[in-house]
Amino acid sequence: MPERALPSCSSGRITKMNAQNLSTWKESEGHAGSWWPAERRELIFEGVLEFEDRRPKLTLMSPLIGQRIFNLAHAQVVHGELESGEKVTLWDLGGHVLEFLGNEHDTMKTARRFTYAILGAHLETYEEERFRYSAYTLHGLGVWSGMDTPIPRSLSREDLPQYEPAHLKSFERDESGVEYSAKVYIENPRRLEADARFPEGAVVAHTGDDARVVFECDPPAPAQIHDMLLFDLQALLTFSYQGGAPLQAEWLASEDLDQALPVMRWDSFTGRRPTGHVFRQSMILDTARVDPTVLFPAWWNAVEKLYPAPQVVTLYHHGSRGILESSVSSVIAVAEHLHGQIGPTLTRFPEGYLESKKGPLKETFPSPEDAPFREFLYQALKNNRPTLSTRLNELASAVTSERLELMTISAHQWIADVRKVRDILAHTSSHVTRRGGDGDSSLLDRVNSQTRAIVTILILKQMGIEEAALDRAAMALSTELKRFTIEGTNT
């Protein structure tokens, strides 16, 4: 699929963002300062803010005698001022308790954990504060959003090509009925630079290491709305990589991007940590295949309309995978659910056919003693779903035989495997034989991976991704699936 020339962004806003050198928290350092409950400025305590796996932890020193320190035990908002003079806001959304750590001479040492640490301002509560902008850096983002059309070497920042902003219209409504829309910008993607030595381009100054996605909300939104945007963005990258996309840096801004506030908080990612660089060839989706103006709205629509299919695929890579049986059950259920949305055979019999059989059934079993049996048969008539084999065959056809071959999946074997696995999970209390060999666990592993790949292609089709990009996605998925062919289990 030929790469397209990328238009310059008409908005000056993103150029301004590119020009910024946004500050960040120094995660590995302790930050000493003074701290107090947001509503009790007179109750000041000395302490050090540290981060453990991005989780803010405030260690405080207070006199041995007196109860003043316990004013910090339950405050949802704590303000601070670092020795550097910088302001800090700490938000606690989890009801963390004050922990006693011990005594040192005439001083008591306590600690409390927080959900958010925001550098640069004293803010209101998590629910009350409003932000127009949020910005995020995540693992692999620079490559995922990379521009592959070479630009002249040392092109000025003002002349750099930019992606047009994407628009998310009415993507969320809060409890008060306010609808939120957003513009989505990509800044600092990896770019190729061309000169006489490298006429086809090389990565030199624009490595993508500082790539960010910026959301501009209208109207300005509480942090919870920006949290949802991050969650869905992280899911998009996870879906694209078929692997983890940990959060690396985060900012919030009320009105002025020049005043963006660095944020440190726990990242919900608990899956397998990426071991290194994410290569474009292993991604099933990126901005080289689908323009961001199409990709972002399509993903946000899929997250809503195809629920829970995208979530089952992404959470498998984003969090703990749990037991294999549970994963297999979930993805088979999602495949069946997708058939209910896209399958050509939505019912086994024509509409009204089964209802018309009630009369003949009553004539055949007319006695009062047959009433319970008649009711049983009437309930059975309500089941007009196509058979599992029909659903699986039609899902395989929707993927196409060519793409199944690219993914090294035999449609016939996959359908037989799914039916067998479904029986195992349904009738043996999710028990499988021990690991190894050609036992049930190997079968479950194969069905899990192959069904996830098929569901992934079906989600892409529902997103409106064009055929050539679907073929490339199938090729990327085959990297994981080829191990079943190598092991001789996919016949």
Side-chain angles (χ1 to χ4, degrees):
M1 178 179 178
E3 306 293 353
R4 62 185 184 283
L6 296 169
S8 295
C9 177
S10 58
S11 168
R13 175 65 72 181
I14 196 161
T15 302
K16 186 176 181 182
M17 268 300 275
N18 277 330
Q20 287 185 311
N21 182 19
L22 295 180
S23 60
T24 59
W25 276 109
K26 295 180 180 178
E27 186 176 354
S28 61
E29 297 182 6
H31 304 271
S34 302
W35 310 90
W36 60 92
E39 298 180 353
R40 300 288 302 276
R41 180 66 173 83
E42 73 278 7
L43 297 175
I44 300 177
F45 301 89
E46 299 303 310
V48 177
L49 179 65
E50 299 173 290
F51 303 106
E52 299 175 352
D53 293 329
R54 298 186 59 87
R55 303 178 190 214
K57 178 183 179 182
L58 180 61
T59 302
L60 298 156
M61 309 302 291
S62 62
L64 281 176
I65 306 301
Q67 300 292 303
R68 296 176 77 241
I69 186 63
F70 293 101
N71 287 280
L72 276 176
H74 303 291
Q76 291 185 333
V77 183
V78 170
H79 288 164
E81 185 172 304
L82 303 183
E83 292 178 346
S84 62
E86 295 173 287
K87 298 177 180 179
V88 177
T89 296
L90 302 177
W91 284 336
D92 180 19
L93 309 183
H96 296 92
V97 299
L98 196 65
E99 305 171 33
F100 175 71
L101 301 182
N103 299 332
E104 293 185 3
H105 305 296
D106 60 348
T107 302
M108 180 170 65
K109 189 176 183 181
T110 55
R112 186 177 169 196
R113 301 178 189 275
F114 289 84
T115 313
Y116 276 80
I118 304 174
L119 179 64
H122 289 156
L123 304 175
E124 301 294 330
T125 67
Y126 175 82
E127 295 80 10
E128 294 171 335
E129 199 67 48
R130 295 293 183 269
F131 303 95
R132 183 172 295 278
Y133 300 97
S134 57
Y136 307 98
T137 295
L138 298 102
H139 177 75
L141 178 62
V143 176
W144 179 83
S145 61
M147 292 182 167
D148 293 340
T149 301
I151 60 175
R153 181 76 179 275
S154 301
L155 195 66
S156 67
R157 184 172 293 277
E158 291 74 19
D159 294 329
L160 288 175
Q162 307 285 355
Y163 289 111
E164 292 284 344
H167 295 266
L168 305 179
K169 297 181 180 179
S170 300
F171 68 87
E172 184 61 30
R173 176 184 294 178
D174 65 19
E175 294 179 356
S176 63
V178 177
E179 286 193 350
Y180 295 96
S181 298
K183 290 182 181 179
V184 190
Y185 303 94
I186 297 176
E187 60 163 2
N188 305 331
R190 189 193 69 178
R191 296 183 176 92
L192 300 179
E193 294 182 282
D195 56 17
R197 184 180 179 187
F198 300 105
E200 295 183 357
V203 178
V204 183
H206 306 288
T207 61
D209 292 340
D210 57 348
R212 285 183 283 263
V213 170
V214 179
F215 294 99
E216 180 180 355
C217 279
D218 181 28
Q224 180 183 15
I225 299 297
H226 291 277
D227 290 350
M228 294 173 63
L229 288 169
L230 169 60
F231 184 83
D232 290 339
L233 170 64
Q234 202 166 20
L236 170 58
L237 295 181
T238 301
F239 182 79
S240 299
Y241 306 164
Q242 296 287 291
L247 178 65
Q248 295 179 332
E250 175 180 0
W251 299 264
L252 292 168
S254 297
E255 288 294 340
D256 189 349
L257 286 171
D258 289 329
Q259 303 299 321
L261 307 173
V263 176
M264 185 68 72
R265 58 168 167 151
W266 173 67
D267 181 10
S268 63
F269 174 80
T270 57
R272 297 179 182 176
R273 285 277 165 185
T275 56
H277 185 80
V278 182
F279 289 95
R280 178 76 62 78
Q281 292 84 350
S282 66
M283 298 179 185
I284 67 164
L285 198 60
D286 56 38
T287 58
R289 278 171 255 193
V290 186
D291 191 280
T293 59
V294 175
L295 176 54
F296 284 113
W299 176 251
W300 259 260
N301 183 64
V303 165
E304 180 70 23
K305 301 297 184 184
L306 300 181
Y307 176 86
Q311 289 79 2
V312 168
V313 172
T314 59
L315 290 177
Y316 180 75
H317 301 289
H318 184 75
S320 174
R321 294 183 175 183
I323 61 174
L324 182 58
E325 291 92 329
S326 177
S327 177
V328 175
S329 295
S330 297
V331 76
I332 291 176
V334 160
E336 293 187 71
H337 176 71
L338 281 176
H339 179 273
Q341 293 179 293
I342 65 178
T345 306
L346 300 179
T347 60
R348 190 182 308 184
F349 299 100
E351 193 69 30
Y353 175 80
L354 294 178
E355 185 71 19
S356 69
K357 299 303 177 183
K358 279 189 174 183
L361 281 176
K362 189 170 184 179
E363 292 176 3
T364 305
F365 304 101
S367 70
E369 292 80 6
D370 292 330
F373 184 55
R374 285 200 307 271
E375 183 59 30
F376 169 77
L377 294 175
Y378 292 162
Q379 291 298 321
L381 291 178
K382 295 179 180 179
N383 180 16
N384 195 17
R385 300 177 63 195
T387 63
L388 177 61
S389 293
T390 297
R391 294 196 293 272
L392 296 176
N393 270 292
E394 291 180 350
L395 289 175
S397 295
V399 172
T400 74
S401 58
E402 292 79 11
R403 288 193 191 103
L404 288 172
E405 185 175 352
L406 283 174
M407 293 189 291
T408 68
I409 297 176
S410 161
H412 174 77
Q413 185 66 52
W414 173 69
I415 292 168
D417 287 346
V418 171
R419 294 182 63 188
K420 181 178 179 181
V421 162
R422 202 161 175 263
D423 288 341
I424 291 173
L425 298 178
H427 301 301
T428 60
S429 302
S430 297
H431 174 74
V432 298
T433 57
R434 66 180 184 177
R435 297 183 184 278
D438 294 325
D440 293 338
S441 61
S442 297
L443 173 63
L444 286 172
D445 187 20
R446 183 166 75 248
V447 170
N448 184 51
S449 295
Q450 292 183 344
T451 308
R452 286 182 178 278
I454 287 171
V455 167
T456 296
I457 294 295
L458 294 172
I459 292 172
L460 291 172
K461 285 176 69 73
Q462 291 302 296
M463 288 173 63
I465 305 305
E466 60 186 38
E467 297 298 308
L470 289 173
D471 292 341
R472 289 177 60 180
M475 293 178 65
L477 288 165
S478 70
T479 302
E480 160 68 14
L481 300 174
K482 282 178 180 176
R483 66 189 176 96
F484 298 113
T485 303
I486 294 172
E487 293 169 3
T489 59
N490 185 23
T491 58

